[in-house]
Amino acid sequence: MNARTRTLIAAALVLGIASGPVGAHAASVPARAGGTAGVSAPLVPAPPNAAVLERAIAGLGAEHKDATAALVRVGGTSGSWRGSSGVADVVTGRAAVEQGRFRAGSVTKTFTAAVVLQLAAEGRVDLDGPVRRYLPGTVPDAYGAVTVRQLLNHTSGIPAADGPGDSFEAQWEHRFDVTDPHDQLVNALAKKREFTPGSAQHYLNINYTLLGVLVEKVTGTSYEEAVGRRILRPLGLRQTSFPSRTQTRIHGPHNRGYQALPETDGSRELRDVTEWNSSDRWAAGDVISTTADLERFTKALFSERIVPAAQLEEMFTVPAVKNFADGKDAALTAGLSRIVLPDGTVAWGKSGGRHGYNTGIGATRDLSRTLVYSVNSTNAKGEDTNPVVLGIVMAAFAK
């Protein structure tokens, strides 16, 4: 592995985007150079490398070690590329559904952050104001100094709520549990804070669970309706939805998700994890979408068509603190993460992982290159980066 590859791998890990008997199906579409009105046209990068992208997702299926399917969309000023590979399910072996829906996991946080920033633009939420101002009966004295901005960029110091455990089997046993976000908040806010608010960064779902409750309080409607009214319907994201509290299925066409589990004889079981209750993630990670919808969302977001320019800066501002877990420089913003590629290019994105599904959105700020992917990873919640995901990211942003 050469130095460039190692650097790119490290960059992909920072972004958080990095969190195969059917060949790749792909299509490339050229595009003309151009800039946004009132903005100088960026230098047009090389077109997406179709051959490299096809290799990144080739050979996926029941026998592939890391993924059973992948859906990818790469776009930008130099052209676009669409590809799919793998199987919709390992029983029939039918080809992956290119327009299939999937669990997008923590990409949900980008939607949540966008709504909160809209409310800030409308003067209904003060980002520097204490969260307790909006939720006095929810946030106790111990967390009275936590601001809305600190929730957005994960610098609140609020610890995670208790769950069934980190192991797959523990989570499997509770996969149909229905979780009330208010119960999670009571549990988390009763604990001692991890650090002084604003002094470190720790990526935890609890920050966005609290933001979901804040959205409901300020808008006077459900979180799901607020996102639908403000983002989904205006953008025509008809394939994007939020499951009901008790819903366990992915409605509509989709590729099934699997978790690989070792057997005593050295083989593996591919356990179907498609049906799962995601109420424990809610405003932090339960959205269901498609690559086409997420691409449209990403482009609209970066083009200031969802969040006004002044508030959108929050998504491109990394707090000057260290990561709580490892002491490295923070990389997370309000709903996104920052990455510097080996050639100096800065990209921004968000990844998500639910059992059976790894998802990511990413782009350069000028939208000269965009990426959306869904990979049916066989260990989607694993600590190591899925090699297929990493290959897609490297292929999409490589020059």
Side-chain angles (χ1 to χ4, degrees):
M1 183 182 294
N2 61 35
R4 174 181 169 79
T5 300
R6 286 195 299 270
T7 304
L8 192 52
I9 288 174
L13 290 170
V14 169
L15 176 62
I17 282 184
S19 44
V22 176
H25 170 71
S28 296
V29 182
R32 293 180 298 178
T36 305
V39 179
S40 298
L43 293 175
V44 180
N49 191 320
V52 175
L53 285 161
E54 288 173 9
R55 286 198 297 272
I57 63 173
L60 306 188
E63 301 305 318
H64 195 280
K65 181 170 68 73
D66 301 305
T68 57
L71 313 175
V72 183
R73 298 174 74 94
V74 180
T77 53
S78 64
S80 61
W81 183 89
R82 312 283 182 262
S84 64
S85 178
V87 297
D89 68 85
V90 300
V91 176
T92 67
R94 59 192 177 92
V97 182
E98 188 171 7
Q99 300 302 321
R101 301 175 186 179
F102 48 81
R103 301 189 190 280
S106 287
V107 172
T108 307
K109 292 182 177 70
T110 312
F111 286 85
T112 304
V115 171
V116 174
L117 293 174
Q118 284 182 348
L119 294 172
E122 295 163 10
R124 301 173 69 181
V125 169
D126 178 3
L127 297 183
D128 289 316
V131 180
R132 197 178 187 201
R133 176 186 303 169
Y134 308 98
L135 300 170
T138 300
V139 180
D141 291 345
Y143 291 98
V146 173
T147 68
V148 177
R149 178 179 279 109
Q150 289 165 350
L151 293 180
L152 285 166
N153 62 25
H154 298 279
T155 60
S156 70
I158 301 173
D162 295 328
D166 293 333
S167 72
F168 169 77
E169 291 295 352
Q171 295 176 32
W172 171 261
E173 289 300 318
H174 293 272
R175 67 191 182 281
F176 296 140
D177 288 1
V178 177
T179 304
D180 187 325
H182 294 87
D183 292 340
Q184 290 181 310
L185 292 176
V186 169
N187 178 277
L189 293 170
K191 300 178 181 180
K192 181 181 179 180
R193 68 189 186 190
E194 291 187 323
F195 50 81
T196 302
S199 66
Q201 186 173 78
H202 192 186
Y203 180 80
L204 291 173
N205 287 331
I206 197 67
N207 292 296
Y208 277 69
T209 300
L210 190 49
L211 286 172
V213 174
L214 181 148
V215 166
E216 292 192 328
K217 181 68 173 182
V218 174
T219 63
T221 188
S222 70
Y223 164 80
E224 295 81 1
E225 174 59 22
V227 179
R229 183 182 303 169
R230 290 169 169 272
I231 299 177
L232 304 190
R233 292 195 284 277
L235 292 182
L237 305 184
R238 296 180 179 84
Q239 307 305 313
T240 301
S241 62
F242 294 89
S244 68
R245 189 69 56 81
T246 59
Q247 181 179 327
T248 61
R249 299 178 58 193
I250 299 176
H251 296 304
H254 60 277
N255 301 312
R256 300 193 73 80
Y258 299 90
Q259 175 72 24
L261 300 171
E263 300 278 28
T264 56
D265 62 0
S267 63
R268 68 173 187 171
E269 171 197 357
L270 283 181
R271 187 174 298 178
D272 193 323
V273 293
T274 310
E275 295 186 13
W276 204 289
N277 184 292
S278 58
S279 59
D280 63 327
R281 295 297 186 263
W282 190 49
D286 72 350
V287 74
I288 293 172
S289 193
T290 64
T291 54
D293 269 13
L294 290 182
E295 183 179 63
R296 182 180 298 181
F297 169 68
T298 302
K299 290 180 177 179
L301 181 67
F302 281 49
S303 299
E304 302 171 8
R305 291 193 288 119
I306 298 176
V307 177
Q311 287 71 34
L312 188 61
E313 282 302 313
E314 296 293 331
M315 288 193 165
F316 302 110
T317 302
V318 179
V321 298
K322 299 294 184 179
N323 186 287
F324 177 70
D326 58 20
K328 296 180 180 180
D329 289 342
L332 306 173
T333 70
L336 294 176
S337 299
R338 183 177 186 268
I339 171 179
V340 180
L341 298 172
D343 61 2
T345 299
V346 177
W348 306 84
K350 187 72 191 78
S351 66
R354 297 290 292 159
H355 288 298
Y357 301 89
N358 278 138
T359 301
I361 61 175
T364 54
R365 189 165 180 181
D366 63 5
L367 292 174
S368 58
R369 180 58 46 85
T370 64
L371 167 66
V372 175
Y373 67 80
S374 171
V375 173
N376 290 88
S377 303
T378 55
N379 189 21
K381 301 294 286 184
E383 293 183 4
D384 296 331
T385 305
N386 183 283
V388 177
V389 170
L390 183 56
I392 291 169
V393 175
M394 292 171 64
F397 285 98
K399 293 185 178 179

mmCIF file of all heavy atoms in Angstrom, residues 67-115:
data_model
loop_
_atom_site.group_PDB
_atom_site.id
_atom_site.type_symbol
_atom_site.label_atom_id
_atom_site.label_comp_id
_atom_site.label_asym_id
_atom_site.label_seq_id
_atom_site.Cartn_x
_atom_site.Cartn_y
_atom_site.Cartn_z
ATOM 1 N N ALA A 67 -19.837 -7.640 1.432
ATOM 2 C CA ALA A 67 -21.097 -6.982 1.052
ATOM 3 C C ALA A 67 -21.879 -7.838 0.069
ATOM 4 O O ALA A 67 -21.297 -8.541 -0.768
ATOM 5 C CB ALA A 67 -20.820 -5.610 0.449
ATOM 6 N N THR A 68 -23.188 -7.773 0.154
ATOM 7 C CA THR A 68 -24.047 -8.512 -0.769
ATOM 8 C C THR A 68 -24.552 -7.642 -1.913
ATOM 9 O O THR A 68 -24.983 -8.160 -2.939
ATOM 10 C CB THR A 68 -25.257 -9.104 -0.031
ATOM 11 O OG1 THR A 68 -25.983 -8.044 0.620
ATOM 12 C CG2 THR A 68 -24.804 -10.116 1.018
ATOM 13 N N ALA A 69 -24.512 -6.305 -1.749
ATOM 14 C CA ALA A 69 -24.987 -5.413 -2.807
ATOM 15 C C ALA A 69 -24.443 -4.013 -2.575
ATOM 16 O O ALA A 69 -24.013 -3.665 -1.471
ATOM 17 C CB ALA A 69 -26.518 -5.380 -2.843
ATOM 18 N N ALA A 70 -24.476 -3.196 -3.631
ATOM 19 C CA ALA A 70 -24.066 -1.794 -3.529
ATOM 20 C C ALA A 70 -24.795 -0.975 -4.577
ATOM 21 O O ALA A 70 -25.005 -1.424 -5.714
ATOM 22 C CB ALA A 70 -22.555 -1.640 -3.713
ATOM 23 N N LEU A 71 -25.187 0.229 -4.187
ATOM 24 C CA LEU A 71 -25.809 1.205 -5.074
ATOM 25 C C LEU A 71 -25.001 2.487 -4.963
ATOM 26 O O LEU A 71 -24.763 2.969 -3.864
ATOM 27 C CB LEU A 71 -27.264 1.470 -4.669
ATOM 28 C CG LEU A 71 -28.152 0.247 -4.394
ATOM 29 C CD1 LEU A 71 -29.524 0.699 -3.881
ATOM 30 C CD2 LEU A 71 -28.298 -0.596 -5.653
ATOM 31 N N VAL A 72 -24.585 3.059 -6.097
ATOM 32 C CA VAL A 72 -23.689 4.209 -6.067
ATOM 33 C C VAL A 72 -24.113 5.246 -7.099
ATOM 34 O O VAL A 72 -24.474 4.906 -8.227
ATOM 35 C CB VAL A 72 -22.224 3.794 -6.354
ATOM 36 C CG1 VAL A 72 -21.292 4.996 -6.248
ATOM 37 C CG2 VAL A 72 -21.775 2.687 -5.406
ATOM 38 N N ARG A 73 -24.034 6.516 -6.692
ATOM 39 C CA ARG A 73 -24.251 7.641 -7.611
ATOM 40 C C ARG A 73 -23.135 8.654 -7.380
ATOM 41 O O ARG A 73 -22.972 9.161 -6.276
ATOM 42 C CB ARG A 73 -25.616 8.304 -7.374
ATOM 43 C CG ARG A 73 -26.800 7.386 -7.625
ATOM 44 C CD ARG A 73 -28.115 8.059 -7.227
ATOM 45 N NE ARG A 73 -28.500 9.077 -8.177
ATOM 46 C CZ ARG A 73 -29.325 8.886 -9.211
ATOM 47 N NH1 ARG A 73 -29.816 7.681 -9.435
ATOM 48 N NH2 ARG A 73 -29.650 9.867 -10.009
ATOM 49 N N VAL A 74 -22.388 8.930 -8.427
ATOM 50 C CA VAL A 74 -21.341 9.948 -8.388
ATOM 51 C C VAL A 74 -21.729 11.045 -9.364
ATOM 52 O O VAL A 74 -22.137 10.772 -10.498
ATOM 53 C CB VAL A 74 -19.970 9.358 -8.778
ATOM 54 C CG1 VAL A 74 -18.884 10.436 -8.741
ATOM 55 C CG2 VAL A 74 -19.602 8.204 -7.848
ATOM 56 N N GLY A 75 -21.631 12.293 -8.934
ATOM 57 C CA GLY A 75 -22.019 13.397 -9.808
ATOM 58 C C GLY A 75 -21.062 14.562 -9.693
ATOM 59 O O GLY A 75 -20.028 14.485 -9.037
ATOM 60 N N GLY A 76 -21.419 15.668 -10.333
ATOM 61 C CA GLY A 76 -20.592 16.861 -10.277
ATOM 62 C C GLY A 76 -20.533 17.561 -11.619
ATOM 63 O O GLY A 76 -21.218 17.178 -12.581
ATOM 64 N N THR A 77 -19.704 18.591 -11.694
ATOM 65 C CA THR A 77 -19.645 19.424 -12.892
ATOM 66 C C THR A 77 -19.009 18.730 -14.085
ATOM 67 O O THR A 77 -19.175 19.171 -15.215
ATOM 68 C CB THR A 77 -18.871 20.716 -12.586
ATOM 69 O OG1 THR A 77 -17.604 20.375 -12.007
ATOM 70 C CG2 THR A 77 -19.629 21.600 -11.623
ATOM 71 N N SER A 78 -18.268 17.642 -13.842
ATOM 72 C CA SER A 78 -17.581 16.979 -14.946
ATOM 73 C C SER A 78 -18.338 15.780 -15.494
ATOM 74 O O SER A 78 -17.906 15.148 -16.441
ATOM 75 C CB SER A 78 -16.197 16.523 -14.492
ATOM 76 O OG SER A 78 -16.320 15.554 -13.475
ATOM 77 N N GLY A 79 -19.460 15.442 -14.885
ATOM 78 C CA GLY A 79 -20.216 14.294 -15.345
ATOM 79 C C GLY A 79 -20.735 13.470 -14.187
ATOM 80 O O GLY A 79 -20.480 13.782 -13.026
ATOM 81 N N SER A 80 -21.447 12.409 -14.507
ATOM 82 C CA SER A 80 -22.013 11.573 -13.453
ATOM 83 C C SER A 80 -21.847 10.107 -13.798
ATOM 84 O O SER A 80 -21.603 9.743 -14.959
ATOM 85 C CB SER A 80 -23.497 11.906 -13.249
ATOM 86 O OG SER A 80 -24.227 11.665 -14.451
ATOM 87 N N TRP A 81 -21.976 9.280 -12.777
ATOM 88 C CA TRP A 81 -21.866 7.829 -12.943
ATOM 89 C C TRP A 81 -22.842 7.166 -11.989
ATOM 90 O O TRP A 81 -22.984 7.571 -10.845
ATOM 91 C CB TRP A 81 -20.430 7.382 -12.626
ATOM 92 C CG TRP A 81 -20.175 5.920 -12.834
ATOM 93 C CD1 TRP A 81 -19.767 5.321 -13.987
ATOM 94 C CD2 TRP A 81 -20.304 4.867 -11.866
ATOM 95 N NE1 TRP A 81 -19.629 3.953 -13.801
ATOM 96 C CE2 TRP A 81 -19.946 3.650 -12.501
ATOM 97 C CE3 TRP A 81 -20.673 4.833 -10.516
ATOM 98 C CZ2 TRP A 81 -19.966 2.428 -11.834
ATOM 99 C CZ3 TRP A 81 -20.696 3.612 -9.853
ATOM 100 C CH2 TRP A 81 -20.345 2.427 -10.512
ATOM 101 N N ARG A 82 -23.530 6.145 -12.486
ATOM 102 C CA ARG A 82 -24.467 5.396 -11.668
ATOM 103 C C ARG A 82 -24.090 3.926 -11.746
ATOM 104 O O ARG A 82 -23.790 3.417 -12.828
ATOM 105 C CB ARG A 82 -25.906 5.552 -12.171
ATOM 106 C CG ARG A 82 -26.326 6.989 -12.456
ATOM 107 C CD ARG A 82 -26.641 7.748 -11.199
ATOM 108 N NE ARG A 82 -27.090 9.087 -11.516
ATOM 109 C CZ ARG A 82 -26.328 10.169 -11.492
ATOM 110 N NH1 ARG A 82 -25.044 10.066 -11.160
ATOM 111 N NH2 ARG A 82 -26.815 11.364 -11.789
ATOM 112 N N GLY A 83 -24.101 3.236 -10.648
ATOM 113 C CA GLY A 83 -23.763 1.821 -10.682
ATOM 114 C C GLY A 83 -24.459 1.032 -9.598
ATOM 115 O O GLY A 83 -24.779 1.556 -8.528
ATOM 116 N N SER A 84 -24.690 -0.228 -9.873
ATOM 117 C CA SER A 84 -25.248 -1.138 -8.874
ATOM 118 C C SER A 84 -24.623 -2.505 -9.075
ATOM 119 O O SER A 84 -24.195 -2.854 -10.184
ATOM 120 C CB SER A 84 -26.774 -1.233 -8.978
ATOM 121 O OG SER A 84 -27.154 -1.794 -10.222
ATOM 122 N N SER A 85 -24.560 -3.281 -8.004
ATOM 123 C CA SER A 85 -23.954 -4.601 -8.074
ATOM 124 C C SER A 85 -24.521 -5.473 -6.969
ATOM 125 O O SER A 85 -25.034 -4.972 -5.975
ATOM 126 C CB SER A 85 -22.432 -4.483 -7.926
ATOM 127 O OG SER A 85 -21.814 -5.754 -7.938
ATOM 128 N N GLY A 86 -24.401 -6.773 -7.152
ATOM 129 C CA GLY A 86 -24.811 -7.686 -6.101
ATOM 130 C C GLY A 86 -26.211 -8.224 -6.272
ATOM 131 O O GLY A 86 -26.778 -8.206 -7.362
ATOM 132 N N VAL A 87 -26.780 -8.685 -5.154
ATOM 133 C CA VAL A 87 -28.073 -9.354 -5.188
ATOM 134 C C VAL A 87 -29.068 -8.671 -4.260
ATOM 135 O O VAL A 87 -28.697 -8.116 -3.228
ATOM 136 C CB VAL A 87 -27.925 -10.838 -4.787
ATOM 137 C CG1 VAL A 87 -27.050 -11.569 -5.793
ATOM 138 C CG2 VAL A 87 -27.359 -10.981 -3.377
ATOM 139 N N ALA A 88 -30.326 -8.749 -4.644
ATOM 140 C CA ALA A 88 -31.387 -8.191 -3.802
ATOM 141 C C ALA A 88 -31.614 -9.056 -2.577
ATOM 142 O O ALA A 88 -31.967 -8.551 -1.508
ATOM 143 C CB ALA A 88 -32.682 -8.060 -4.606
ATOM 144 N N ASP A 89 -31.420 -10.363 -2.743
ATOM 145 C CA ASP A 89 -31.471 -11.280 -1.596
ATOM 146 C C ASP A 89 -30.641 -12.504 -1.932
ATOM 147 O O ASP A 89 -30.477 -12.855 -3.109
ATOM 148 C CB ASP A 89 -32.912 -11.655 -1.247
ATOM 149 C CG ASP A 89 -33.561 -12.511 -2.316
ATOM 150 O OD1 ASP A 89 -33.373 -13.740 -2.283
ATOM 151 O OD2 ASP A 89 -34.232 -11.949 -3.208
ATOM 152 N N VAL A 90 -30.093 -13.131 -0.922
ATOM 153 C CA VAL A 90 -29.167 -14.243 -1.149
ATOM 154 C C VAL A 90 -29.898 -15.557 -1.413
ATOM 155 O O VAL A 90 -29.259 -16.536 -1.810
ATOM 156 C CB VAL A 90 -28.211 -14.409 0.053
ATOM 157 C CG1 VAL A 90 -27.394 -13.152 0.255
ATOM 158 C CG2 VAL A 90 -28.971 -14.793 1.323
ATOM 159 N N VAL A 91 -31.206 -15.591 -1.218
ATOM 160 C CA VAL A 91 -31.971 -16.820 -1.445
ATOM 161 C C VAL A 91 -32.234 -17.019 -2.928
ATOM 162 O O VAL A 91 -31.951 -18.084 -3.499
ATOM 163 C CB VAL A 91 -33.302 -16.794 -0.655
ATOM 164 C CG1 VAL A 91 -34.128 -18.032 -0.988
ATOM 165 C CG2 VAL A 91 -33.029 -16.705 0.839
ATOM 166 N N THR A 92 -32.767 -15.994 -3.581
ATOM 167 C CA THR A 92 -33.075 -16.104 -5.012
ATOM 168 C C THR A 92 -31.898 -15.718 -5.893
ATOM 169 O O THR A 92 -31.809 -16.157 -7.038
ATOM 170 C CB THR A 92 -34.270 -15.202 -5.376
ATOM 171 O OG1 THR A 92 -33.891 -13.823 -5.237
ATOM 172 C CG2 THR A 92 -35.460 -15.497 -4.468
ATOM 173 N N GLY A 93 -31.001 -14.859 -5.384
ATOM 174 C CA GLY A 93 -29.873 -14.394 -6.174
ATOM 175 C C GLY A 93 -30.249 -13.405 -7.246
ATOM 176 O O GLY A 93 -29.435 -13.094 -8.128
ATOM 177 N N ARG A 94 -31.468 -12.872 -7.209
ATOM 178 C CA ARG A 94 -31.866 -11.894 -8.229
ATOM 179 C C ARG A 94 -31.043 -10.616 -8.070
ATOM 180 O O ARG A 94 -30.567 -10.287 -6.988
ATOM 181 C CB ARG A 94 -33.364 -11.587 -8.142
ATOM 182 C CG ARG A 94 -33.825 -11.028 -6.825
ATOM 183 C CD ARG A 94 -35.357 -11.028 -6.714
ATOM 184 N NE ARG A 94 -35.785 -10.561 -5.406
ATOM 185 C CZ ARG A 94 -36.066 -9.298 -5.109
ATOM 186 N NH1 ARG A 94 -35.971 -8.352 -6.049
ATOM 187 N NH2 ARG A 94 -36.453 -8.956 -3.888
ATOM 188 N N ALA A 95 -30.891 -9.902 -9.164
ATOM 189 C CA ALA A 95 -30.034 -8.725 -9.191
ATOM 190 C C ALA A 95 -30.508 -7.660 -8.217
ATOM 191 O O ALA A 95 -31.716 -7.499 -7.961
ATOM 192 C CB ALA A 95 -29.990 -8.148 -10.601
ATOM 193 N N ALA A 96 -29.555 -6.916 -7.681
ATOM 194 C CA ALA A 96 -29.872 -5.826 -6.753
ATOM 195 C C ALA A 96 -30.806 -4.816 -7.400
ATOM 196 O O ALA A 96 -30.711 -4.539 -8.596
ATOM 197 C CB ALA A 96 -28.582 -5.129 -6.313
ATOM 198 N N VAL A 97 -31.711 -4.286 -6.603
ATOM 199 C CA VAL A 97 -32.662 -3.278 -7.073
ATOM 200 C C VAL A 97 -31.954 -1.929 -7.086
ATOM 201 O O VAL A 97 -31.638 -1.366 -6.036
ATOM 202 C CB VAL A 97 -33.897 -3.218 -6.148
ATOM 203 C CG1 VAL A 97 -34.899 -2.193 -6.676
ATOM 204 C CG2 VAL A 97 -34.534 -4.591 -6.021
ATOM 205 N N GLU A 98 -31.704 -1.400 -8.283
ATOM 206 C CA GLU A 98 -30.889 -0.188 -8.407
ATOM 207 C C GLU A 98 -31.537 1.015 -7.729
ATOM 208 O O GLU A 98 -30.849 1.885 -7.189
ATOM 209 C CB GLU A 98 -30.615 0.119 -9.879
ATOM 210 C CG GLU A 98 -29.618 1.247 -10.085
ATOM 211 C CD GLU A 98 -29.207 1.391 -11.530
ATOM 212 O OE1 GLU A 98 -29.792 0.713 -12.399
ATOM 213 O OE2 GLU A 98 -28.286 2.194 -11.800
ATOM 214 N N GLN A 99 -32.845 1.097 -7.760
ATOM 215 C CA GLN A 99 -33.557 2.207 -7.129
ATOM 216 C C GLN A 99 -34.151 1.786 -5.783
ATOM 217 O O GLN A 99 -35.107 2.389 -5.311
ATOM 218 C CB GLN A 99 -34.669 2.711 -8.068
ATOM 219 C CG GLN A 99 -34.172 3.209 -9.414
ATOM 220 C CD GLN A 99 -33.159 4.335 -9.272
ATOM 221 O OE1 GLN A 99 -33.301 5.213 -8.412
ATOM 222 N NE2 GLN A 99 -32.145 4.338 -10.123
ATOM 223 N N GLY A 100 -33.576 0.775 -5.174
ATOM 224 C CA GLY A 100 -34.107 0.258 -3.927
ATOM 225 C C GLY A 100 -33.958 1.212 -2.754
ATOM 226 O O GLY A 100 -33.057 2.046 -2.717
ATOM 227 N N ARG A 101 -34.848 1.062 -1.807
ATOM 228 C CA ARG A 101 -34.794 1.851 -0.576
ATOM 229 C C ARG A 101 -33.898 1.146 0.444
ATOM 230 O O ARG A 101 -33.672 -0.062 0.354
ATOM 231 C CB ARG A 101 -36.202 2.039 -0.005
ATOM 232 C CG ARG A 101 -37.147 2.752 -0.975
ATOM 233 C CD ARG A 101 -38.560 2.833 -0.448
ATOM 234 N NE ARG A 101 -39.462 3.387 -1.453
ATOM 235 C CZ ARG A 101 -40.759 3.559 -1.277
ATOM 236 N NH1 ARG A 101 -41.322 3.220 -0.119
ATOM 237 N NH2 ARG A 101 -41.508 4.067 -2.249
ATOM 238 N N PHE A 102 -33.413 1.903 1.399
ATOM 239 C CA PHE A 102 -32.507 1.339 2.404
ATOM 240 C C PHE A 102 -32.545 2.188 3.663
ATOM 241 O O PHE A 102 -33.002 3.341 3.648
ATOM 242 C CB PHE A 102 -31.072 1.282 1.865
ATOM 243 C CG PHE A 102 -30.611 2.567 1.216
ATOM 244 C CD1 PHE A 102 -30.155 3.629 1.973
ATOM 245 C CD2 PHE A 102 -30.650 2.710 -0.164
ATOM 246 C CE1 PHE A 102 -29.739 4.818 1.389
ATOM 247 C CE2 PHE A 102 -30.244 3.904 -0.764
ATOM 248 C CZ PHE A 102 -29.786 4.949 0.015
ATOM 249 N N ARG A 103 -32.066 1.616 4.736
ATOM 250 C CA ARG A 103 -31.932 2.354 5.992
ATOM 251 C C ARG A 103 -30.669 3.204 5.897
ATOM 252 O O ARG A 103 -29.569 2.675 5.746
ATOM 253 C CB ARG A 103 -31.840 1.387 7.170
ATOM 254 C CG ARG A 103 -33.060 0.478 7.305
ATOM 255 C CD ARG A 103 -33.032 -0.296 8.609
ATOM 256 N NE ARG A 103 -34.056 -1.324 8.628
ATOM 257 C CZ ARG A 103 -35.350 -1.114 8.892
ATOM 258 N NH1 ARG A 103 -35.756 0.124 9.168
ATOM 259 N NH2 ARG A 103 -36.227 -2.101 8.903
ATOM 260 N N ALA A 104 -30.828 4.521 6.011
ATOM 261 C CA ALA A 104 -29.701 5.437 5.831
ATOM 262 C C ALA A 104 -29.012 5.793 7.141
ATOM 263 O O ALA A 104 -28.065 6.582 7.159
ATOM 264 C CB ALA A 104 -30.152 6.712 5.117
ATOM 265 N N GLY A 105 -29.485 5.257 8.261
ATOM 266 C CA GLY A 105 -28.808 5.448 9.531
ATOM 267 C C GLY A 105 -28.580 6.911 9.883
ATOM 268 O O GLY A 105 -29.478 7.749 9.775
ATOM 269 N N SER A 106 -27.359 7.218 10.264
ATOM 270 C CA SER A 106 -27.052 8.553 10.799
ATOM 271 C C SER A 106 -27.046 9.670 9.767
ATOM 272 O O SER A 106 -26.857 10.836 10.128
ATOM 273 C CB SER A 106 -25.711 8.521 11.532
ATOM 274 O OG SER A 106 -25.843 7.847 12.766
ATOM 275 N N VAL A 107 -27.267 9.351 8.503
ATOM 276 C CA VAL A 107 -27.509 10.417 7.531
ATOM 277 C C VAL A 107 -28.741 11.211 7.965
ATOM 278 O O VAL A 107 -28.918 12.379 7.608
ATOM 279 C CB VAL A 107 -27.680 9.834 6.108
ATOM 280 C CG1 VAL A 107 -28.121 10.908 5.112
ATOM 281 C CG2 VAL A 107 -26.362 9.206 5.643
ATOM 282 N N THR A 108 -29.583 10.572 8.779
ATOM 283 C CA THR A 108 -30.740 11.258 9.375
ATOM 284 C C THR A 108 -30.314 12.542 10.087
ATOM 285 O O THR A 108 -31.050 13.544 10.077
ATOM 286 C CB THR A 108 -31.432 10.327 10.389
ATOM 287 O OG1 THR A 108 -31.723 9.079 9.775
ATOM 288 C CG2 THR A 108 -32.718 10.948 10.924
ATOM 289 N N LYS A 109 -29.151 12.522 10.705
ATOM 290 C CA LYS A 109 -28.693 13.687 11.461
ATOM 291 C C LYS A 109 -28.556 14.928 10.582
ATOM 292 O O LYS A 109 -28.742 16.054 11.053
ATOM 293 C CB LYS A 109 -27.360 13.384 12.150
ATOM 294 C CG LYS A 109 -27.436 12.349 13.266
ATOM 295 C CD LYS A 109 -26.089 12.149 13.918
ATOM 296 C CE LYS A 109 -26.158 11.157 15.087
ATOM 297 N NZ LYS A 109 -26.391 9.763 14.634
ATOM 298 N N THR A 110 -28.217 14.732 9.314
ATOM 299 C CA THR A 110 -28.096 15.880 8.414
ATOM 300 C C THR A 110 -29.467 16.519 8.182
ATOM 301 O O THR A 110 -29.585 17.743 8.110
ATOM 302 C CB THR A 110 -27.463 15.450 7.079
ATOM 303 O OG1 THR A 110 -26.302 14.658 7.331
ATOM 304 C CG2 THR A 110 -27.046 16.669 6.266
ATOM 305 N N PHE A 111 -30.510 15.702 8.081
ATOM 306 C CA PHE A 111 -31.875 16.226 7.952
ATOM 307 C C PHE A 111 -32.261 16.972 9.232
ATOM 308 O O PHE A 111 -32.829 18.077 9.178
ATOM 309 C CB PHE A 111 -32.859 15.086 7.707
ATOM 310 C CG PHE A 111 -32.806 14.494 6.328
ATOM 311 C CD1 PHE A 111 -31.898 13.493 6.011
ATOM 312 C CD2 PHE A 111 -33.676 14.929 5.341
ATOM 313 C CE1 PHE A 111 -31.858 12.942 4.743
ATOM 314 C CE2 PHE A 111 -33.647 14.384 4.052
ATOM 315 C CZ PHE A 111 -32.728 13.386 3.756
ATOM 316 N N THR A 112 -31.966 16.366 10.377
ATOM 317 C CA THR A 112 -32.318 16.990 11.654
ATOM 318 C C THR A 112 -31.605 18.325 11.815
ATOM 319 O O THR A 112 -32.219 19.330 12.193
ATOM 320 C CB THR A 112 -31.932 16.056 12.816
ATOM 321 O OG1 THR A 112 -32.568 14.785 12.637
ATOM 322 C CG2 THR A 112 -32.348 16.647 14.153
ATOM 323 N N ALA A 113 -30.313 18.348 11.519
ATOM 324 C CA ALA A 113 -29.544 19.589 11.632
ATOM 325 C C ALA A 113 -30.102 20.655 10.706
ATOM 326 O O ALA A 113 -30.192 21.842 11.080
ATOM 327 C CB ALA A 113 -28.077 19.324 11.308
ATOM 328 N N ALA A 114 -30.500 20.269 9.501
ATOM 329 C CA ALA A 114 -31.035 21.236 8.540
ATOM 330 C C ALA A 114 -32.308 21.895 9.076
ATOM 331 O O ALA A 114 -32.501 23.112 8.937
ATOM 332 C CB ALA A 114 -31.309 20.549 7.206
ATOM 333 N N VAL A 115 -33.184 21.107 9.695
ATOM 334 C CA VAL A 115 -34.416 21.678 10.243
ATOM 335 C C VAL A 115 -34.100 22.633 11.389
ATOM 336 O O VAL A 115 -34.676 23.726 11.480
ATOM 337 C CB VAL A 115 -35.376 20.559 10.705
ATOM 338 C CG1 VAL A 115 -36.556 21.156 11.479
ATOM 339 C CG2 VAL A 115 -35.874 19.756 9.510
#
